Amino acid sequence: MNILELSEQEIGRRESLQELRNMGIEPYPAAEYPTDAFSTEIAASFVDLPTEKDVEGNEVPAKATAENSRNVCIAGRMMGRRIMGKAAFVELQDSKGRIQVYITRDDICPGEDKDLYNKVFKKLLDIGDFIGVKGYVFRTQTGEISVHAKELTLLSKSLKPLPIVKYKDGVAYDKFEDPELRYRQRYVDLVVNDGVKDTFLKRATVVRTLRRVLDEAGYTEVETPTLQSIAGGASARPFITHFNALNIPMYMRIATELYLKRLIVGGFEGVYEIGKNFRNEGMDKNHNPEFTCMELYVAYKDYNWMMSFTEKLLEEVCVAVNGKPETVIDGKTISFKAPFKRLPILDAIKEKTGYDLSCMSEDEMRTTAKSLGIEVDETMGRGKLIDEIFGETCEGTFIQPTFITDYPVEMSPLTKKHRSKPGLTERFELMVNGKELANAYSELNDPIDQEERFVEQMRLADKGDDEAMVIDHDFLRALQYGMPPTSGIGIGIDRLVMLMTGNAFIQEVLFFPQMKPEPKQPKASMEEWASIGVPEEWVPLFNKAGYYLLSDLKDVKAQKLQQDVCGVNKKYKLGLENPKVEEFQSYIDKLQ
């Protein structure tokens, strides 16, 4: 890396790195460091020593030593340091939390050589370095449980300074809170911001609980292809790639549904998959193009059974994460205590808008949507129009868990027709906090009906609907072998974690959300700089001084330009021969 790309602190840390090596200390040792304790466990299990009598017969706390106290070996990142001459306190952060370490010169340097303390610890170590400590546990005079170090080992040298938050008069400074930086540099966010790691530990609890409940119910976790020759199982725009070995286009899956149903045809009683889906659509606080979904399919069940199962599943997840069946998000308490409200979609629309869509033609629906201020076009069929009207007027109003049921056939090409309501299907979507959390059906297992639905979807595609499904002939062939009555559900894991952790933005529950490319400073090319006579080795110095484009030199005095650029040469001790003012003037003149 060019030294001009580094900050002064980064340069200093690299110099310390080299000095450590010169002293024979490897900054990145390969050997195992045998830790046997964590910060939180040390604090939780600490027991004070029994009192003893002093020379005057008074009861006083016994003095902790390596012989009468618990000895531990811990490791972590140094997050704070207070040096007081021959002694120091260090704040050590491990994977569980933080603990104070007390270090004295003579304890870690028992011999004549005091360099480990005087030079290495005090001058060559930095905040952010990983260290290992062997010592014993004690309580300081101020009452803080700490580790008294007897040995200190450098485990990894940090070359970039962490954005450590500083407090003065109750005001925090240097906070690492810019969302752009936090999401791009999640590794830093996890280190310096309290609560971030806890969110992802709760996410792990959500997934672990889902697996446990589904496994205990007797269902089998499976894996299906991520690359698919047909993007099916949902109405969405796919990501397209190319399979070189077969020389065919392939699609990143938008859903796992059709493959999981094939397994029900093959004789599995119940199957589920927790995995990534990819939809080439918008990004906002509720959507990420790459998202995690759990899909479950169970033979001999219907959507009524699935509603009851979903209530129990989500209540158990909420209790596992929060210790109770309630969670708080956006200041609202949401209860996952079963049962949930159930409401047909057309009734919901009528209730919220006053319009009864059940008896309207497609053109009448389009007119109604426009009257409600909803943008629609001629490519939208009945299903898409109902979906848009519901989404714009109703969806955001359902805060407590609510099953929206009985969707029109046009909206549900993979769903069984309703047993008693013509034109509707046995489908529900679970709405929580104004957003869809789950989508479920009594699955369509009539191969003839399914083929007709696919054909209708192709008509929508011909009209310009780029989210319409295409015909999956192999899936139709599987249905023709016979699929038992089945109910299926898909639950968005990311949105579920948002609800369980009280986060309003999906980016907060994804380790690495999709981001726009990092903006780069536009710079003139080497050829452009050469055209005005600037030598190649001097171009980085111009850039470091803030001159990135040739136009940046306009209206700059030659003397100032020389001071700025040659100042970089001096500051970084590059040893280049400084051009005269006349040469800088010639660069400027060539721009005229």
Side-chain angles (χ1 to χ4, degrees), residues 287-391:
H287 297 88
N288 194 64
E290 173 186 1
F291 63 97
T292 305
C293 188
M294 186 285 293
E295 287 201 42
L296 165 71
Y297 294 84
V298 186
Y300 312 112
K301 309 298 184 185
D302 67 3
Y303 81 141
N304 292 310
W305 174 90
M306 188 61 81
M307 278 189 263
S308 298
F309 182 82
T310 301
E311 289 169 338
K312 296 172 186 174
L313 175 65
L314 295 182
E315 182 176 347
E316 192 152 350
V317 168
C318 192
V319 170
V321 174
N322 296 307
K324 56 185 178 181
E326 289 90 33
T327 184
V328 177
I329 185 168
D330 296 333
K332 296 166 286 193
T333 298
I334 295 174
S335 174
F336 282 94
K337 185 72 176 174
F340 303 162
K341 181 181 178 181
R342 305 181 184 194
L343 181 65
I345 186 171
L346 295 179
D347 289 356
I349 292 173
K350 185 176 180 180
E351 185 180 290
K352 299 296 180 182
T353 69
Y355 290 102
D356 184 356
L357 304 187
S358 61
C359 55
M360 287 188 185
S361 67
E362 184 176 306
D363 288 339
E364 288 171 332
M365 285 186 191
R366 190 171 286 109
T367 300
T368 298
K370 291 177 181 178
S371 72
L372 292 168
I374 301 170
E375 291 187 18
V376 295
D377 57 54
E378 299 304 314
T379 68
M380 295 180 177
R382 287 178 57 86
K384 199 69 178 286
L385 290 167
I386 293 171
D387 192 30
E388 287 293 318
I389 293 170
F390 176 80

Side-chain angles (χ1 to χ4, degrees), residues 437-481:
L437 177 62
N439 190 14
Y441 317 145
S442 293
E443 301 295 335
L444 179 58
N445 61 343
D446 179 342
I448 296 174
D449 189 2
Q450 181 64 83
E451 184 172 10
E452 291 173 353
R453 306 271 195 98
F454 276 149
V455 169
E456 176 59 30
Q457 285 287 299
M458 294 306 293
R459 290 197 188 100
L460 292 175
D462 290 340
K463 289 174 64 176
D465 187 346
D466 58 2
E467 294 184 356
M469 293 188 195
V470 298
I471 299 178
D472 187 334
H473 292 286
D474 180 70
F475 175 66
L476 289 175
R477 177 168 55 194
L479 285 187
Q480 289 168 18
Y481 281 102

